Amino acid sequence: MEEFQRFEWAGVHFGEEETYLLQRSLTKLSHDTKAKSIKFWGKIFGSKKDYYIAELDQEGNAPDGAEPDPEDPKLEARGTGVNQYNYFVTNDILGEWTPLPVITPDQLTQSRKIKYIFTGNLDATIVTNPPFQWSEKYYLRAQIARISHSTNIIPSGLWKINADSDEPTQEELLQAREITETDPEEVKQATLQQLTSLKNWQHYMPAILKEGRTTYSEAPDFVNEMEEAEREQWEKDRARKDPLEYRLKALSDDKPLNGYKQAWTLRTCGDTIEYDTISEKKEKTSYCVLALKSQVWPGAMTIAYGNKW
């Protein structure tokens, strides 16, 4: 409830009654699925019904009642990449939650080519040009992946890139895909003034490539049959056409939309004075709420207050 109250300070709220019912519904879903963790991902409005969406960490396991995963060699398995988390959706927070299927690279790639208004019916047929041959639930799952990997952000310094050497080159940092949590003893809590700079915020989830994955898929058989020099040239061409982005990229490096100076907006809500704490580190704290809003995905917002975000 505390987080919902802070979001209300930032101008995002569902009302006291709906918030309470949502909290109880998520508690029941967590109990029924035995998920490692669960959070309310958000709400997407539809022309007939709206979608309430929950994000669950089930450690790579398929939820009960989920569709069988497709046999696609390019598919990122559950618990990895764009399928790192499982998602459940409902039109009624007093009703049952429905697990969404995993997303394939083809579905993600095709979803980028169309514009579509959700109806609130998971089985609705999507009629667009170019065509999207799957039902609305797959388009919903694709949009969730795109939004999550673009707007899931953290303050800088909490995680670090796993590199193969102690002094990695820029190329090694670019190729590195794994990150680890920084030792809490080494982390200094950022001040409000620091958090008002986009340079001090990072993307937590890896960016999605044009091919619909977070990592390159295995090279086709004909590439493996090439000479070493030809194979290296093929890999360079692929990297040029579909470049990787650095893990933990700063928000200040995000490309803004046309007409905007930056891809994110920041604003503070409440008391911005920083007060001394009685901690051994003699850190300061503030009781205001900092709201960061994506200009690419305008409904996506992150808030920070105290040492939480």
Side-chain angles (χ1 to χ4, degrees), residues 51 67 89 91 98-101 116 118-127 133-140:
Y51 289 123
E67 295 182 6
V89 63
N91 300 123
T98 301
L100 292 176
Y116 174 77
F118 288 104
T119 65
N121 177 9
L122 292 174
D123 297 320
T125 300
I126 296 179
V127 180
Q133 65 193 69
W134 303 274
S135 62
E136 186 167 298
K137 62 185 171 185
Y138 294 98
Y139 184 70
L140 174 63

Side-chain angles (χ1 to χ4, degrees), residues 49-240:
K49 295 180 181 179
D50 302 329
Y51 289 123
Y52 296 89
I53 303 164
E55 180 183 279
L56 284 71
D57 183 358
Q58 294 182 286
E59 301 182 307
N61 298 316
D64 293 339
E67 295 182 6
D69 296 349
E71 296 182 2
D72 185 341
K74 293 185 177 181
L75 176 72
E76 291 187 298
R78 287 186 186 271
T80 65
V82 294
N83 293 308
Q84 180 175 354
Y85 299 108
N86 292 334
Y87 293 91
F88 283 69
V89 63
T90 185
N91 300 123
D92 181 4
I93 51 179
L94 296 178
E96 295 297 321
W97 291 81
T98 301
L100 292 176
V102 294
I103 191 72
T104 67
D106 287 343
Q107 291 163 350
L108 244 173
T109 301
Q110 197 64 20
S111 73
R112 287 169 160 163
K113 300 177 182 180
I114 66 172
K115 293 183 179 180
Y116 174 77
I117 297 177
F118 288 104
T119 65
N121 177 9
L122 292 174
D123 297 320
T125 300
I126 296 179
V127 180
T128 57
N129 184 24
F132 186 83
Q133 65 193 69
W134 303 274
S135 62
E136 186 167 298
K137 62 185 171 185
Y138 294 98
Y139 184 70
L140 174 63
R141 181 63 184 84
Q143 294 301 85
I144 290 173
R146 294 177 64 196
I147 295 170
S148 295
H149 284 260
S150 297
T151 63
N152 195 325
I153 60 176
I154 56 174
S156 301
L158 300 179
W159 290 75
K160 56 186 177 181
I161 299 175
N162 287 352
D164 295 332
S165 60
D166 294 335
E167 297 182 0
T169 64
Q170 289 298 313
E171 180 62 25
E172 289 174 334
L173 288 174
L174 179 61
Q175 296 295 330
R177 298 290 90 191
E178 300 296 326
I179 58 175
T180 54
E181 192 169 4
T182 306
D183 186 345
E185 294 297 325
E186 301 177 5
V187 177
K188 183 178 180 180
Q189 182 178 339
T191 64
L192 172 65
Q193 187 63 34
Q194 291 172 329
L195 290 180
T196 55
S197 171
L198 293 179
K199 294 181 180 179
N200 293 320
W201 287 89
Q202 299 174 323
H203 287 276
Y204 173 67
M205 302 183 78
I208 300 176
L209 295 165
K210 293 179 182 178
E211 68 170 284
R213 292 168 50 95
T214 58
T215 58
Y216 291 128
S217 57
E218 293 186 8
D221 291 338
F222 75 87
V223 176
N224 297 325
E225 297 173 358
M226 291 179 177
E227 298 292 334
E228 183 177 353
E230 293 178 321
R231 187 165 59 250
E232 289 180 355
Q233 184 59 48
W234 183 89
E235 292 175 348
K236 289 180 180 179
D237 290 342
R238 178 171 67 170
R240 176 177 53 81

